[in-house]
Amino acid sequence: MTVSAPRKPQVLLDALAATIVGQRPSLEALLSSLIAGGHVLLEGPPGLAKTLACRALASAVGGSFKRIQFTPDLLPSDIVGTRIFDQRAGEFTTVLGPIFANIVLADEVNRAPAKVQSALLEGMQERQVTIGPQTFPLPDPFVVTATMNPLDSEGTYALPLAQMDRFLVKILVDYPSSDEEGRILDRFGGETPALPADVVSIDDILRWRHEARTVHVEPRLKRYVVDLVGATRVKHDYVDRGASPRATLAIVALARARALVAGRDFALPDDVRAVAPAVLRHRLAFNYRTLTDKVDPETIVAGIIAAVPTP
Amino acid sequence: MTAEPKSLRVGETLRLRIVAHVDENVLQLDNVTLPDLSGFDSLGDERRCATSGHGSDCVEVMTLSPTEGGDRTIAPTTLDAIDARNGKPSHFATNSVTIHVAGALQPNGVTRALLDDLLKPIAILVIVGAAAYALLWGFVRRKPLPAPLPAPARPVTPATPIDPLPQLIAALARERTRACVLAVRDELRRRVGAREEETLDDLFARRAAGDDPAVAGALRAVERAAFVDDSQLDGAIDDALRALSKWHES
């Protein structure tokens, strides 16, 4: 049985793919995270359409979009908002910060100090913000897409593992192929193309979320996910600490979302295998030997996943 | 980190040399974690740091004596310090060193000569005695003549292997249970050479099903029947049986 919905997730994926050249796995992961209700960490060099992808997503869902450029002098109030004294009214009024949007792009999140990072991450976790005596709920859906540049580590504040864990997925954005780069030139070399507007609505997203929660996951598949995450905790030459049960929940939520995007109401081992690297890569603590032996962490994650028999 | 010699016997000594260069002038290195040296007796430890205009070269030489035989790998020595290249706290490590330790030392020359003098006559006596005993035994118990060889057996025509799939499909059609679906799925996967860690997409990616759309259709339909909700199992089994029948016909 296929899932019937007035506007299906595939429509949104196609609209994004019509704007962004290539990057199909990143767009799929972005959409799955939106449906699963999680936040996304995008890592890749500058100029790979990370911001454009987030902007296109916000425009396509008809939601509000805010971009915050993280810098070392940023303050928590620059993100969550502040209270100012209105002299005319003779009272304090609250000015909400840019975190109050459906899709928030936290650009170069590792360039701001820990206090600012934690202000954002607290909002991500609690989905509400407290300014002075008042608590304000964040809009629904609320998705933070944070970017990190892996090339310039100078003057950055690395996110601790506990905070990285708040991101549902970490997506690696890579350079396009030469064919894709040619198409980028054709599409963006002249007039800037318009972003897809109101392809789906916020209500559609909320309905997909509900439908995703009803996607069936066979007990054998759940066991597979538990085994997969458990395999990261087995003594390993290059891994000091494995993933938490939050990763287990994240894999199942994303596998359900991926199944929904594919038009299924049941998840397959393929869904689990497809989402597992993005869920696990930022949750494992790799030891110094990965550096000294020059081993790619992606290879380690892939090796751990490949070693677990599928159901 | 180096060891000299790398091959020795139990009881002999080796010198383990650990060298570190730091960009500052220091008298000694703190935060150095030496490797686990169990299986070795430590006979001495010498540390020194020589400073120059380019920083300090610190050397630690340990004199060790292995207490057990076999190949023994000494893990890297580690140092927690600020990396001068980026100013960040870092974890540095040396290489590891593998030492080959042979068994215990042989007895010295005098002892060996004494042992030789004692053992040689005994050994000769034992050998001569054993030979005489063997001759006597062979004489008393002569072996009987070998029996004639049996006639060669008639060649047996091997039985034609029974294809389990039709039976499994028949059982699925009859019983319509998840267990029957899984049995058919296992057999299908075995036929296309699926490894236990491979998913359906992996099989298609390496074209395990070839270009036959009927095989691909059967694999997909059975996969669906294996993972749908119980409430949809009946319909999924019908689809799977149809796809399997199409495959069988093709």
Side-chain angles (χ1 to χ4, degrees):
Chain A
M1 191 189 89
T2 52
V3 176
S4 61
R7 276 178 288 191
K8 293 180 180 175
Q10 190 67 42
V11 178
L12 179 56
L13 188 61
D14 292 342
L16 292 175
T19 306
I20 311 293
V21 178
Q23 314 280 17
R24 185 81 181 186
S26 304
L27 298 179
E28 284 176 356
L30 208 54
L31 178 57
S32 295
S33 303
L34 179 72
I35 295 170
H39 306 290
V40 179
L41 186 59
L42 289 160
E43 189 178 284
L48 293 184
K50 297 190 291 288
T51 307
L52 181 65
C54 299
R55 201 179 278 276
L57 180 66
S59 173
V61 301
S64 52
F65 172 75
K66 294 277 173 60
R67 177 177 182 273
I68 310 166
Q69 180 65 49
F70 276 55
T71 54
D73 58 350
L74 204 68
L75 295 171
S77 58
D78 295 332
I79 292 173
V80 297
T82 189
R83 282 167 62 77
I84 55 169
F85 187 71
D86 184 346
Q87 283 190 328
R88 215 173 296 166
E91 59 185 12
F92 279 94
T93 55
T94 305
V95 178
L96 301 179
I99 198 171
F100 288 87
N102 292 120
I103 294 176
V104 177
L105 173 63
D107 227 351
E108 300 200 82
V109 70
N110 56 336
R111 294 221 171 261
K115 199 159 55 168
V116 182
Q117 288 173 359
S118 59
L120 174 75
L121 294 163
E122 194 181 328
M124 286 163 57
Q125 184 69 22
E126 308 296 331
R127 295 182 186 270
Q128 63 179 27
V129 165
T130 303
I131 306 167
Q134 277 182 289
T135 298
F136 298 89
L138 291 167
D140 192 19
F142 169 66
V143 176
V144 172
T145 52
T147 69
M148 286 205 306
N149 175 357
L151 301 179
D152 299 324
S153 58
E154 197 86 13
T156 59
Y157 301 84
L159 266 70
L161 209 61
Q163 295 196 343
M164 295 277 265
D165 202 31
R166 307 272 174 86
F167 289 98
L168 189 69
V169 288
K170 180 180 176 183
I171 303 169
L172 301 183
V173 186
D174 207 354
Y175 287 107
S177 65
S178 61
D179 176 49
E180 287 167 348
E181 200 151 351
R183 285 195 281 138
I184 290 170
L185 201 56
D186 291 340
R187 193 174 295 175
F188 295 94
E191 287 287 314
T192 308
L195 296 177
D198 300 331
V199 178
V200 295
S201 66
I202 294 289
D203 287 342
D204 286 322
I205 309 273
L206 297 176
R207 194 184 59 252
W208 295 343
R209 284 188 177 177
H210 173 72
E211 286 172 355
R213 283 194 285 270
T214 64
V215 166
H216 176 68
V217 182
E218 264 290 289
R220 284 177 301 120
L221 200 54
K222 286 180 184 168
R223 187 72 244 167
Y224 173 51
V225 177
V226 171
D227 290 346
L228 209 57
V229 176
T232 67
R233 299 176 202 145
V234 176
K235 189 172 159 46
H236 192 284
D237 281 350
Y238 295 111
V239 181
D240 275 351
R241 200 164 61 248
S244 68
R246 195 180 275 169
T248 314
L249 295 168
I251 289 176
V252 171
L254 279 165
R256 283 180 157 139
R258 188 178 184 268
L260 188 79
V261 173
R264 281 183 274 111
D265 58 1
F266 58 95
L268 290 174
D270 276 316
D271 297 317
V272 171
R273 281 279 293 273
V275 303
V279 173
L280 296 176
R281 62 169 62 104
H282 60 297
R283 291 183 160 98
L284 303 190
F286 299 102
N287 61 25
Y288 69 95
R289 291 171 72 176
T290 50
L291 293 175
T292 55
D293 293 355
K294 294 192 170 94
V295 181
D296 182 8
E298 280 304 293
T299 314
I300 300 167
V301 173
I304 291 171
I305 293 170
V308 181
T310 55
Chain B
M1 186 163 75
T2 56
E4 184 60 38
K6 282 188 176 172
S7 180
L8 71 166
R9 291 178 179 282
V10 173
E12 291 181 344
T13 57
L14 70 99
R15 286 160 72 82
L16 186 70
R17 186 180 162 87
I18 303 156
V19 182
H21 174 80
V22 289
D23 278 351
E24 289 177 11
N25 288 346
V26 294
L27 294 174
Q28 64 174 41
L29 273 185
D30 297 324
N31 303 328
V32 174
T33 308
L34 292 172
D36 175 23
L37 293 171
S38 56
F40 292 92
D41 282 339
S42 179
L43 305 178
D45 189 0
E46 180 192 337
R47 295 178 183 189
R48 61 175 186 276
C49 281
T51 57
S52 68
H54 302 292
S56 306
D57 286 305
C58 296
V59 180
E60 175 157 2
V61 180
M62 301 177 76
T63 306
L64 304 170
S65 174
T67 55
E68 299 162 12
D71 283 339
R72 310 193 61 81
T73 299
I74 300 176
T77 299
T78 60
L79 167 68
D80 292 314
I82 303 294
D83 189 342
R85 290 166 296 186
N86 56 20
K88 291 183 176 176
S90 300
H91 190 69
F92 298 92
T94 66
N95 56 308
S96 58
V97 173
T98 301
I99 312 286
H100 175 72
V101 183
L105 278 171
Q106 294 294 317
N108 64 32
V110 176
T111 318
R112 175 173 292 200
L114 275 170
L115 281 172
D116 284 354
D117 288 349
L118 282 170
L119 288 176
K120 261 184 191 165
I122 296 169
I124 291 165
L125 276 174
V126 168
I127 291 165
V128 169
Y133 181 79
L135 273 172
L136 196 64
W137 183 253
F139 201 72
V140 172
R141 293 192 57 163
R142 294 176 71 179
K143 278 174 81 176
L145 286 172
L149 288 171
R154 281 197 320 165
V156 178
T157 312
T160 311
I162 298 167
D163 182 2
L165 191 59
Q167 290 178 14
L168 292 171
I169 294 172
L172 173 63
R174 195 174 54 246
E175 296 174 28
R176 305 180 70 84
T177 60
R178 183 90 69 180
C180 290
V181 172
L182 295 178
V184 171
R185 179 173 177 263
D186 286 347
E187 178 57 22
L188 277 181
R189 284 175 61 88
R190 192 191 63 76
R191 282 194 175 205
V192 296
R195 293 187 293 271
E196 64 172 5
E197 74 277 9
E198 280 187 315
T199 63
L200 196 58
D201 280 352
D202 292 335
L203 295 180
F204 290 140
R206 68 171 177 88
R207 298 171 61 81
D211 290 325
D212 190 348
V215 180
L219 282 167
R220 281 205 182 90
V222 173
E223 188 81 349
R224 177 173 169 248
F227 289 98
V228 287
D229 184 36
D230 285 346
S231 63
Q232 295 167 34
L233 184 59
D234 234 24
I237 287 174
D238 286 340
D239 291 344
L241 289 170
R242 268 195 295 276
L244 288 163
S245 158
K246 203 177 279 181
W247 178 26
H248 189 66
E249 286 164 13
S250 72

